Amino acid sequence: MADTKSMQIENKQVDKKKTKSHRITFGIIYLVLAAFIWIVFVNGTDTSILTTFNMTPGGSSAYMDDWIFPTASTLSTLAFICAIAGAYQIIRGFGKFTNGILALVAGIFIFSFLSWASSGGSINLAGLLRVTVVRAVPLTLGAMAGMLCERSGTVNIAIEGMMLTSAFVSTVIASLTNLWIGMLAGVLTGGLIAWIHGVLTIKYKVDHTISGTVINIFATGITSFLSSKFLQKTDYQYLNEPGMFPQIDIPVLSKIPFVGPILFSHNMYVYAMFLLVPFLTVMLFSTRWGLRLRSVGEHPKAADTLGINVIKTRYMAVILGGMMAGFAGTYFTLGSSGRFDELLTAGRGFIALAAMLFGNYHPVGAMGAGLLFGFFDSLSAKASILKVPIPSDFLGMMPYLATIVVLAGVVGRSQAPAAAGKSYDKESL
Amino acid sequence: MAPLLELRGITKRFPGVLANDHIDLTLEKGEIHALLGENGAGKTTLMNILYGLYSQDEGDIFVNGNKVTINEPTDAIKAGIGMVHQHFMLIPVFTVTENIMLGEEYVKAGGFLDRKKAAAKITEISDKYNLNVNPDAYVRDLPVGTQQRVEIIKILFREAEILIMDEPSAVLTPQEVDELFKIMRVLVDQGKSIIFITHKLREVMECADRITVIRGGKVIGSTTPKEADTKKLATMMVGRDVQLKIKKTKSDPKETVLNVENLRVMNSQQHLAVDDISFNVRAGEVLGIAGVQGNGQTELVRALTGLLPPTEGKIEILGQDTPQEKPRFITELGSAHIPEDRQKDGLILAFPVADNLILNTYFHEPFSKGITLQFDEIANSGNALVEKFDIRTPSVNTPVSNLSGGNQQKVIVAREFSRPIKLLIASQPTRGLDVGSIEYIHKRLMAKREEGCAILLVSTELDEIIQLSDRIAVMYRGKILDILDAQDATKEVLGLLMAGIKPSDEMKSQAKHEEQIILT
Ligand SMILES: Nc1ncnc2c1ncn2[C@@H]1O[C@H](COP(=O)(O)OP(=O)(O)OP(=O)(O)O)[C@@H](O)[C@H]1O
Ligand SMILES: [Mg+2]
């Protein structure tokens, strides 16, 4: 008995040693950020300069007063808070609040950046956040598409290709018929491509990454070709005029100042995201359907021995995932730009996969990651019109840089389904 | 009356192998029917056919005298057949409840899972058969013995009458095996019937009502524990006389080959698994490491072989410091490793047998010249080893994954023994092997010892440890409690040490032990 106790104590000591180096690294990062805010942001700013945050997005009727504050003094306070957090982190550590404090410091840093960038002028904070929500839509939907596939054991890196193709098809069909039929056509297109991916990987056991890459290359090629041949030609403009889903203001909720316009004054894609996230969460984790789907992604042989049809389940999940990707694809044309242009998805399908990993294969996590990447997306668009002395091309890289940082820092810890990427062979040991 | 289950003329061919050759088998209600056979005899194949995982080429299956067609596991489940597989079929990230109800889910209105109701039924089964399983635990956190009981509940949950258990005892500790036998008895008393596969003759004698022996895919004969003895069973299985006990000469240890001082190793959960261990192994001797599975043996071996860097301490192999070296460096020094988990650390399952046989020598002549592999040499040497070590495989080009469990093990042994080695670290070297193969590997181990190889033998099988070792170290909770000379090591003393009780406390513990016996 005494042995057990001494061993537990020993274990704890060793655990501590390990976390200690972590603790100090984090603390030093906080201190560096504090110094950065102080040296770059505060020192370059005259004490009399003010920052203005507009709290009402352009064209909204839910009005809220602008938020005006002196830049230098606010920023020095924030730098001070970061410094304290860093010092405390090094000396004591925040224990179970570590992640919360990390998010807080990161938030402070971004806020400081914004205040500094808009000092002497103004930035529309509400607009920034509103666009964040919009930009999160394709990322979150794409992440959930990838999730359906990977949770069932099929790796799908062809989200990008599926989105691109469905964006194209939906544009043409919607131009010829109406928005809803166009959207449906996009969804079916995604499902069809996913079915091909399924046949290749599930039936013919082609390597999942290769099949996905082939689909991406094919999608890029065919949509670019058809687009430049027809959609971009004046003679065929009637094929590239699908229109857009209108904005729907939710009664009452959209009138709440600040929050209303950010969350409740969008077209149906944003609401679809808000509904699909909890829906898929419940489906995956609380229903028979979800249990079976996850089981074939974790241990297909075990599922098979319990009478679950591994092949059918995988096809079903991959095709549903493809339809979800297809739906995400139609957002680009029917929900955002109102027309198709070559490569208009711009790698969002891959960032969606990053969001899936970052969100640890969970719909809610995926939306969180989607919002984070969406924020940088929105910020890069906004910041290029501010007085920031950074070339706008670099600002355009922000969403992708954020993706790399997040992937490098966090994904090591996310838990992929055990059988993801492995085709199932019944008669093998 | 018709028997509960009858197999008639079951035949199954794999490319190049006749795995089952017109097998007839019956199972009566309420009996434990043991299926014996050497590695690759076709036991698992037969059971997989019965369970619907493979389909037979010929033959029929009858339940209660009625012919049934079993194409899918669902058909088997419907016919009241359940199976505990040789390699467990559990999903580590699911809870016990989720694992058990998968495929037979309890749902509430609206299609939502009713975990509570399923958990209640699991608890009920668990109590009825005294299985002691917590339905809310995650399977990844459970010890192997408990995982197996989860598998058993999985079958009972589906109300199966016929239970197939494919080598259930191979991964269990002796105590867990005793537990399992008690459970099997209870099951049979409640009217269930069991087909039980094992390689351990002692177990067969202990718990079977009837025994059928299979060799080369054919039924050789049936008997009962009363009529047979282990010697006879072994002969039936292997087709020749088997020496069940090996003769050991007096050891003549020479220079120290492996020296370990104050070693500490952390496991993957960052817990201290090996705690301040020191020992040495000398040329020409076998040091056995006994202990209940999970007391740090795995981590010790991984540290010695360079797979897991230790946090503290010294490891010297032939005078070279190795704690921070790569596995390649350590194997090149002349050290060999038979890993505990053959499928994970010992083989590349998708590679052919020949390639697996050169995994740690492929970069040497004659297997490669410059940057090219010499395929003729690789095939020739592969064929020679397959011959020499009696590996049952259609050819050296067959993927290792298609070999039976025991033959997979032989591939590893053949690879490690075919090099000039000075140190052998063998972890559970005979797990899952039949008596003939065990005899063979034991003889080989002894021959290596004679040649002057230092051997570290890690095993949870007390018999094996006592038979082969010159000295025996017992591990308990990451520490070596004691190192005994083989002559002094009786099963009783080792058993006490394995339970963490030092013989100096012998009197006390003896009393305690008796008290326990009275209590139970
Ligand atoms: N999927 C497969 N493909 C090809 N050959 C196979 C396959 N499964 C089994 N075999 C072959 O069939 C034979 C019987 O194998 P099986 O696994 O039934 O043996 P076993 O009696 O269970 O042996 P062990 O005691 O080692 O588990 C072996 O020669 C094996 O190589
Ligand atoms: Mg077997």
Side-chain angles (χ1 to χ4, degrees):
Chain A
M1 273 292 98
D3 263 3
T4 337
K5 233 179 218 166
S6 72
M7 208 163 94
Q8 276 168 354
I9 292 168
E10 201 113 26
N11 283 340
K12 269 196 194 132
Q13 278 167 353
V14 175
D15 284 352
K16 264 191 193 149
K17 220 185 265 172
K18 174 106 184 173
T19 48
K20 194 175 164 192
S21 67
H22 253 265
R23 211 176 76 202
I24 294 181
T25 323
F26 274 21
I28 291 175
I29 291 175
Y30 296 173
L31 288 181
V32 169
L33 289 180
F36 193 90
I37 297 175
W38 180 257
I39 295 167
V40 179
F41 297 162
V42 178
N43 275 358
T45 318
D46 196 279
T47 41
S48 62
I49 287 181
L50 299 178
T51 292
T52 307
F53 280 166
N54 307 116
M55 305 301 272
T56 314
S60 172
S61 57
Y63 182 77
M64 185 169 167
D65 283 337
D66 289 348
W67 181 18
I68 305 171
F69 54 87
T71 315
S73 57
T74 312
L75 289 191
S76 24
T77 315
L78 291 177
F80 186 66
I81 295 176
C82 279
I84 299 232
Y88 193 80
Q89 174 78 23
I90 289 178
I91 300 165
R92 303 283 312 264
F94 285 100
K96 61 178 176 174
F97 299 112
T98 304
N99 284 334
I101 298 292
L102 176 66
L104 180 76
V105 172
I108 288 182
F109 184 76
I110 289 167
F111 181 86
S112 306
F113 170 77
L114 283 179
S115 314
W116 168 73
S118 57
S119 59
S122 70
I123 191 169
N124 193 326
L125 186 65
L128 186 72
L129 294 179
R130 188 181 137 77
V131 175
T132 297
V133 173
V134 172
R135 295 289 165 96
V137 169
L139 303 179
T140 307
L141 294 177
M144 291 197 293
M147 195 181 305
L148 277 166
C149 298
E150 293 215 8
R151 282 268 184 196
S152 72
T154 305
V155 169
N156 185 355
I157 63 158
I159 305 282
E160 175 83 358
M162 292 172 184
M163 295 208 300
L164 197 56
T165 317
S166 96
F168 178 88
V169 172
S170 66
T171 305
V172 175
I173 302 289
S175 302
L176 295 175
T177 58
N178 69 37
L179 281 171
W180 288 100
I181 296 181
M183 198 261 302
L184 210 63
V187 170
L188 293 179
T189 308
L192 182 73
I193 302 178
W195 173 72
I196 296 172
H197 185 55
V199 172
L200 288 174
T201 56
I202 300 170
K203 180 151 186 217
Y204 293 107
K205 304 186 174 61
V206 174
D207 183 278
H208 299 199
T209 311
I210 291 179
S211 167
T213 307
V214 169
I215 289 174
N216 280 333
I217 294 173
F218 178 76
T220 311
I222 189 120
T223 55
S224 299
F225 171 73
L226 291 175
S227 168
S228 65
K229 200 85 184 155
F230 299 104
L231 297 194
Q232 309 306 328
K233 294 272 162 63
T234 31
D235 290 354
Y236 295 101
Q237 267 319 295
Y238 66 92
L239 287 178
N240 201 358
E241 285 167 349
M244 262 168 69
F245 280 101
Q247 177 173 323
I248 305 165
D249 292 336
I250 309 265
V252 187
L253 290 181
S254 66
K255 294 286 177 283
I256 308 172
F258 194 60
V259 179
I262 292 176
L263 294 180
F264 303 112
S265 183
H266 289 284
N267 64 29
M268 67 96 178
Y269 282 97
V270 172
Y271 305 131
M273 170 176 79
F274 288 154
L275 292 178
L276 280 170
V277 167
F279 178 71
L280 193 61
T281 307
V282 169
M283 288 302 284
L284 275 178
F285 299 103
S286 308
T287 68
R288 161 161 50 194
W289 176 85
L291 189 72
R292 292 184 172 191
L293 188 150
R294 288 184 292 132
S295 76
V296 301
E298 290 288 347
H299 196 333
K301 187 116 208 170
D304 196 357
T305 61
L306 296 175
I308 290 163
N309 191 327
V310 177
I311 305 295
K312 253 196 212 155
T313 311
R314 285 193 166 180
Y315 268 116
M316 181 270 301
V318 168
I319 290 173
L320 280 179
M323 291 168 77
M324 181 77 88
F327 181 60
T330 64
Y331 154 84
F332 288 98
T333 51
L334 309 184
S336 171
S337 71
R339 56 176 280 118
F340 184 87
D341 290 298
E342 280 165 45
L343 304 182
L344 87 168
T345 47
R348 296 294 193 284
F350 294 107
I351 299 187
L353 286 179
M356 171 189 79
L357 292 171
F358 187 29
N360 211 356
Y361 299 88
H362 194 289
V364 175
M367 187 164 83
L371 285 169
L372 181 74
F373 293 141
F375 176 76
F376 282 103
D377 210 350
S378 156
L379 189 62
S380 75
K382 268 269 178 334
S384 51
I385 51 171
L386 292 171
K387 59 142 212 186
V388 190
I390 308 173
S392 62
D393 294 336
F394 279 98
L395 287 173
M397 284 162 53
M398 246 163 25
Y400 307 96
L401 273 178
T403 312
I404 291 174
V405 170
V406 161
L407 280 185
V410 180
V411 166
R413 271 177 270 157
S414 84
Q415 196 61 56
K422 292 186 194 130
S423 298
Y424 181 58
D425 194 354
K426 204 171 158 87
E427 292 220 348
S428 106
L429 294 174
Chain B
M1 209 181 97
L4 177 59
L5 172 75
E6 184 174 3
L7 303 180
R8 255 187 238 158
I10 302 284
T11 302
K12 174 78 183 172
R13 294 178 195 89
F14 287 116
V17 204
L18 183 55
N20 287 164
D21 184 3
H22 296 93
I23 291 195
D24 298 323
L25 190 76
T26 58
L27 178 70
E28 302 291 343
K29 191 169 167 59
E31 76 166 348
I32 297 178
H33 190 148
L35 210 52
L36 269 181
E38 47 182 351
N39 297 124
K43 306 175 298 286
T44 300
T45 304
L46 184 68
M47 292 304 116
N48 280 344
I49 289 170
L50 179 54
Y51 193 65
L53 284 170
Y54 295 170
S55 44
Q56 70 267 39
D57 298 324
E58 286 167 40
D60 297 311
I61 301 170
F62 300 83
V63 175
N64 286 322
N66 305 317
K67 187 172 159 188
V68 291
T69 318
I70 297 180
N71 294 325
E72 291 285 332
T74 351
D75 301 330
I77 295 168
K78 266 193 216 123
I81 301 170
M83 179 160 172
V84 175
H85 299 264
Q86 188 168 3
H87 303 114
F88 287 166
M89 295 295 168
L90 293 171
I91 299 170
V93 297
F94 281 14
T95 63
V96 169
T97 307
E98 289 170 339
N99 264 290
I100 290 174
M101 73 168 164
L102 181 63
E104 196 106 324
E105 298 86 352
Y106 283 5
V107 285
K108 293 185 269 208
F112 295 108
L113 293 173
D114 196 343
R115 292 191 168 90
K116 268 215 190 98
K117 194 169 152 206
K121 176 154 179 201
I122 291 165
T123 312
E124 187 192 313
I125 297 173
S126 172
D127 290 347
K128 181 169 170 196
Y129 297 99
N130 207 0
L131 295 171
N132 197 9
V133 165
N134 169 13
D136 297 323
Y138 278 91
V139 164
R140 60 162 181 251
D141 300 328
L142 299 178
V144 186
T146 316
Q147 291 192 11
Q148 186 164 61
R149 296 203 293 274
V150 175
E151 287 277 30
I152 294 174
I153 296 183
K154 218 155 119 183
I155 299 174
L156 299 173
F157 190 84
R158 287 164 177 73
E159 272 147 27
E161 290 302 316
I162 301 166
L163 281 74
I164 306 168
M165 305 182 120
D166 194 355
E167 293 194 36
S169 54
V171 291
L172 300 186
T173 62
Q175 292 89 322
E176 286 173 327
V177 172
D178 290 343
E179 274 298 298
L180 176 68
F181 286 169
K182 265 189 223 147
I183 292 166
M184 284 167 62
R185 270 289 143 220
V186 177
L187 286 168
V188 171
D189 288 344
Q190 307 249 1
K192 313 271 182 200
S193 318
I194 299 175
I195 300 180
F196 172 62
I197 298 177
T198 183
H199 288 295
K200 294 177 190 158
L201 304 174
R202 193 168 35 86
E203 293 177 357
V204 175
M205 300 300 288
E206 197 177 320
C207 80
D209 298 311
R210 213 141 56 89
I211 305 166
T212 296
V213 180
I214 300 181
R215 185 180 348 129
K218 284 199 187 80
V219 173
I220 295 297
S222 273
T223 177
T224 62
K226 280 202 197 75
E227 296 163 13
D229 55 41
T230 49
K231 190 101 191 142
K232 185 178 161 207
L233 287 176
T235 312
M236 275 174 89
M237 262 172 82
V238 187
R240 61 180 165 84
D241 276 345
V242 182
Q243 223 183 315
L244 290 173
K245 277 239 153 65
I246 221 118
K247 282 195 199 76
K248 190 167 59 180
T249 51
K250 180 111 187 64
S251 74
D252 175 22
K254 305 225 166 51
E255 77 281 1
T256 302
V257 176
L258 171 68
N259 185 32
V260 175
E261 280 173 30
N262 304 102
L263 190 71
R264 282 168 194 263
V265 187
M266 213 87 85
N267 68 9
S268 52
Q269 281 100 48
Q270 297 301 324
H271 288 295
L272 200 64
V274 174
D275 187 3
D276 199 13
I277 276 187
S278 306
F279 64 87
N280 61 46
V281 192
R282 293 159 64 187
E285 74 162 349
V286 177
L287 175 68
I289 300 223
V292 177
Q293 177 122 40
N295 275 285
Q297 300 99 316
T298 311
E299 288 78 8
L300 172 65
V301 168
R302 293 181 77 85
L304 295 179
T305 49
L307 294 170
L308 183 67
T311 37
E312 262 172 63
K314 191 157 115 179
I315 303 172
E316 262 180 12
I317 298 176
L318 294 162
Q320 292 255 20
D321 252 333
T322 62
Q324 304 307 330
E325 296 295 346
K326 299 226 154 49
R328 164 81 65 94
F329 180 88
I330 295 171
T331 38
E332 288 296 277
L333 275 180
S335 123
H337 177 205
I338 300 177
E340 172 182 82
D341 185 340
R342 57 177 165 245
Q343 298 202 337
K344 201 164 124 243
D345 296 326
L347 298 165
I348 300 178
L349 287 174
F351 277 19
V353 172
D355 288 0
N356 270 289
L357 284 169
I358 55 156
L359 279 184
N360 48 19
T361 45
Y362 67 91
F363 46 90
H364 283 308
E365 298 237 14
F367 302 125
S368 65
K369 279 202 184 115
I371 57 163
T372 54
L373 288 175
Q374 303 297 308
F375 292 109
D376 289 346
E377 284 297 333
I378 293 170
N380 288 341
S381 131
N383 279 319
L385 288 177
V386 163
E387 178 91 5
K388 190 168 158 199
F389 286 81
D390 190 26
I391 301 168
R392 308 280 165 88
T393 170
S395 86
V396 290
N397 299 319
T398 310
V400 168
S401 59
N402 284 353
L403 266 52
S404 78
N407 281 300
Q408 292 179 359
Q409 183 75 2
K410 287 196 206 168
V411 172
I412 298 175
V413 172
R415 176 179 72 216
E416 299 301 325
F417 279 30
S418 60
R419 303 185 290 136
I421 52 170
K422 305 212 179 60
L423 170 67
L424 171 64
I425 298 169
S427 199
Q428 316 290 359
T430 57
R431 173 176 284 177
L433 292 193
D434 64 52
V435 279
S437 311
I438 292 177
E439 176 202 23
Y440 180 78
I441 285 182
H442 283 178
K443 275 190 179 155
R444 287 263 153 187
L445 278 168
M446 285 297 110
K448 278 282 166 206
R449 167 175 170 263
E450 230 79 316
E451 285 169 24
C453 182
I455 298 176
L456 183 73
L457 171 71
V458 181
S459 176
T460 49
E461 292 287 326
L462 270 187
D463 289 330
E464 179 167 88
I465 291 268
I466 293 177
Q467 252 187 64
L468 301 179
S469 310
D470 300 308
R471 290 185 298 140
I472 300 172
V474 183
M475 275 188 85
Y476 178 73
R477 292 187 192 267
K479 292 190 194 292
I480 288 186
L481 278 197
D482 207 352
I483 301 185
L484 311 168
D485 272 340
Q487 299 97 289
D488 311 337
T490 58
K491 268 196 170 180
E492 287 67 40
V493 173
L494 289 178
L496 283 178
L497 281 167
M498 283 166 71
I501 303 160
K502 282 217 182 193
S504 52
D505 307 332
E506 210 167 346
M507 305 297 291
K508 245 195 279 173
S509 59
Q510 196 67 36
K512 208 176 193 176
H513 191 67
E514 276 161 15
E515 193 180 282
Q516 259 174 5
I517 291 171
I518 293 164
L519 282 177
T520 47

